[in-house]
Protein backbone atom coordinates (compact mmCIF):
# COMPACT_ATOMS: atom_id res chain seq x y z
CA UNK A 1 0.00 0.00 0.00
CA UNK A 2 1.26 3.45 -0.88
CA UNK A 3 1.55 5.74 2.11
CA UNK A 4 0.25 9.28 1.88
CA UNK A 5 1.56 10.70 5.13
CA UNK A 6 0.12 14.21 4.82
CA UNK A 7 -3.46 13.17 3.99
CA UNK A 8 -6.24 12.76 6.55
CA UNK A 9 -9.88 11.93 5.87
CA UNK A 10 -12.76 13.60 7.71
CA UNK A 11 -16.54 13.11 7.56
CA UNK A 12 -19.50 14.30 9.59
CA UNK A 13 -22.79 12.55 10.23
CA UNK A 14 -25.82 14.62 11.09
CA UNK A 15 -29.32 14.37 12.45
CA UNK A 16 -32.11 13.92 9.92
CA UNK A 17 -33.06 16.90 7.81
CA UNK A 18 -36.08 18.92 8.87
CA UNK A 19 -38.08 21.31 6.72
CA UNK A 20 -36.15 24.53 6.13
CA UNK A 21 -32.92 23.17 7.58
CA UNK A 22 -29.96 23.02 5.20
CA UNK A 23 -27.31 21.98 7.74
CA UNK A 24 -28.63 19.66 10.47
CA UNK A 25 -26.83 19.30 13.81
CA UNK A 26 -23.69 17.15 13.93
CA UNK A 27 -24.15 13.80 15.67
CA UNK A 28 -20.67 12.38 15.15
CA UNK A 29 -17.71 12.44 12.81
CA UNK A 30 -14.98 10.11 11.65
CA UNK A 31 -11.38 10.72 10.80
CA UNK A 32 -8.59 8.56 9.39
CA UNK A 33 -4.94 9.02 8.58
CA UNK A 34 -1.75 7.09 8.00
CA UNK A 35 0.25 6.29 11.12
CA UNK A 36 3.41 4.21 10.73
CA UNK A 37 2.25 3.03 7.30
CA UNK A 38 -1.18 1.91 8.52
CA UNK A 39 -4.57 3.56 8.28
CA UNK A 40 -5.84 4.53 11.71
CA UNK A 41 -9.47 5.56 12.00
CA UNK A 42 -11.38 7.28 14.75
CA UNK A 43 -15.08 7.69 15.56
CA UNK A 44 -15.71 11.07 17.12
CA UNK A 45 -18.94 11.26 19.12
CA UNK A 46 -20.68 14.58 19.61
CA UNK A 47 -20.59 17.95 17.92
CA UNK A 48 -18.03 19.49 20.29
CA UNK A 49 -15.57 16.64 19.78
CA UNK A 50 -16.18 16.70 16.01
CA UNK A 51 -15.43 20.41 15.81
CA UNK A 52 -12.37 20.03 18.02
CA UNK A 53 -10.95 17.24 15.85
CA UNK A 54 -11.58 19.28 12.69
CA UNK A 55 -9.75 22.31 14.13
CA UNK A 56 -6.88 20.06 15.21
CA UNK A 57 -6.61 18.66 11.67
CA UNK A 58 -6.64 22.17 10.20
CA UNK A 59 -3.82 23.24 12.50
CA UNK A 60 -1.70 20.27 11.41
CA UNK A 61 0.24 19.70 8.19
CA UNK A 62 -2.48 17.41 6.87
CA UNK A 63 -4.47 17.96 3.71
CA UNK A 64 -8.00 16.96 4.68
CA UNK A 65 -9.90 14.77 2.23
CA UNK A 66 -13.69 14.87 2.19
CA UNK A 67 -16.44 13.24 0.15
CA UNK A 68 -18.87 16.16 -0.25
CA UNK A 69 -16.83 18.81 1.56
CA UNK A 70 -19.40 21.59 1.03
CA UNK A 71 -21.89 19.69 3.19
CA UNK A 72 -19.42 18.82 5.96
CA UNK A 73 -18.05 22.37 6.04
CA UNK A 74 -21.59 23.81 6.11
CA UNK A 75 -22.64 21.69 9.09
CA UNK A 76 -19.40 22.56 10.91
CA UNK A 77 -19.94 26.28 10.27
CA UNK A 78 -23.61 26.07 11.22
CA UNK A 79 -22.67 24.40 14.50
CA UNK A 80 -20.07 27.10 15.23
CA UNK A 81 -19.99 30.16 12.96
CA UNK A 82 -16.62 31.20 14.43
CA UNK A 83 -15.14 28.37 12.30
CA UNK A 84 -15.90 30.25 9.06
CA UNK A 85 -12.62 32.22 8.93
CA UNK A 86 -10.48 29.11 9.41
CA UNK A 87 -12.59 27.14 6.93
CA UNK A 88 -12.08 29.83 4.26
CA UNK A 89 -8.38 30.05 5.12
CA UNK A 90 -8.06 26.26 4.72
CA UNK A 91 -9.78 26.51 1.33
CA UNK A 92 -7.46 29.32 0.24
CA UNK A 93 -4.44 27.37 1.49
CA UNK A 94 -5.61 24.25 -0.41
CA UNK A 95 -5.77 22.18 2.76
CA UNK A 96 -9.17 20.76 1.77
CA UNK A 97 -9.61 18.21 -1.02
CA UNK A 98 -12.97 16.82 -2.14
CA UNK A 99 -12.64 13.40 -3.75
CA UNK A 100 -16.13 13.54 -5.29
CA UNK A 101 -15.48 16.86 -7.01
CA UNK A 102 -12.06 15.62 -8.19
CA UNK A 103 -13.62 12.45 -9.61
CA UNK A 104 -16.34 14.45 -11.38
CA UNK A 105 -13.79 16.82 -12.91
CA UNK A 106 -11.74 13.83 -14.08
CA UNK A 107 -14.84 12.27 -15.65
CA UNK A 108 -15.71 15.55 -17.38
CA UNK A 109 -12.17 15.79 -18.74
CA UNK A 110 -12.35 12.23 -20.09
CA UNK A 111 -15.92 12.64 -21.37
CA UNK A 112 -17.25 9.91 -19.09
CA UNK A 113 -19.39 11.87 -16.60
CA UNK A 114 -22.64 10.01 -16.03
CA UNK A 115 -21.43 6.90 -17.85
CA UNK A 116 -21.03 3.40 -16.45
CA UNK A 117 -17.24 2.81 -16.30
CA UNK A 118 -17.64 -0.84 -17.39
CA UNK A 119 -20.17 -0.51 -20.19
CA UNK A 120 -19.87 3.13 -21.22
CA UNK A 121 -23.68 3.39 -21.16
CA UNK A 122 -25.55 6.33 -19.67
CA UNK A 123 -26.15 5.73 -15.93
CA UNK A 124 -29.41 7.67 -16.07
CA UNK A 125 -30.92 5.29 -18.60
CA UNK A 126 -32.48 2.10 -17.17
CA UNK A 127 -31.88 0.12 -20.38
Amino acid sequence: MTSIPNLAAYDTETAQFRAGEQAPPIVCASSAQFVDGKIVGELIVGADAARSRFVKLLSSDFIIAFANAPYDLAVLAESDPSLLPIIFKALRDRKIHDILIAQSLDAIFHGTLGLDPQTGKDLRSPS
Side-chain angles (χ1 to χ4, degrees):
M1 176 188 304
T2 302
S3 176
I4 307 172
N6 69 332
L7 186 67
Y10 186 86
D11 184 39
T12 61
E13 301 301 332
T14 63
Q16 287 185 325
F17 283 94
R18 293 183 299 206
E21 186 175 54
Q22 296 279 332
I26 297 170
V27 174
C28 64
S30 59
S31 178
Q33 61 205 45
F34 282 99
V35 176
D36 297 326
K38 295 181 182 182
I39 298 173
V40 177
E42 171 185 19
L43 174 64
I44 307 144
V45 179
D48 290 339
R51 284 189 302 272
S52 177
R53 181 68 175 128
F54 175 69
V55 170
K56 185 176 178 181
L57 284 172
L58 283 182
S59 64
S60 72
D61 291 333
F62 287 114
I63 294 170
I64 307 168
F66 291 85
N68 197 4
Y71 180 78
D72 292 309
L73 298 174
V75 299
L76 284 158
E78 176 67 23
S79 73
D80 182 356
S82 74
L83 293 176
L84 278 170
I86 64 171
I87 288 171
F88 282 110
K89 181 176 182 342
L91 290 165
R92 277 192 309 275
D93 294 345
R94 298 181 180 179
K95 288 192 59 128
I96 292 177
H97 178 76
D98 191 308
I99 62 169
L100 295 180
I101 292 172
Q103 189 280 326
S104 294
L105 290 171
D106 183 68
I108 291 168
F109 176 80
H110 291 289
T112 58
L113 185 66
L115 300 179
D116 183 311
Q118 293 181 345
T119 66
K121 293 183 179 179
D122 191 335
L123 288 171
R124 295 165 291 191
S125 174
S127 54

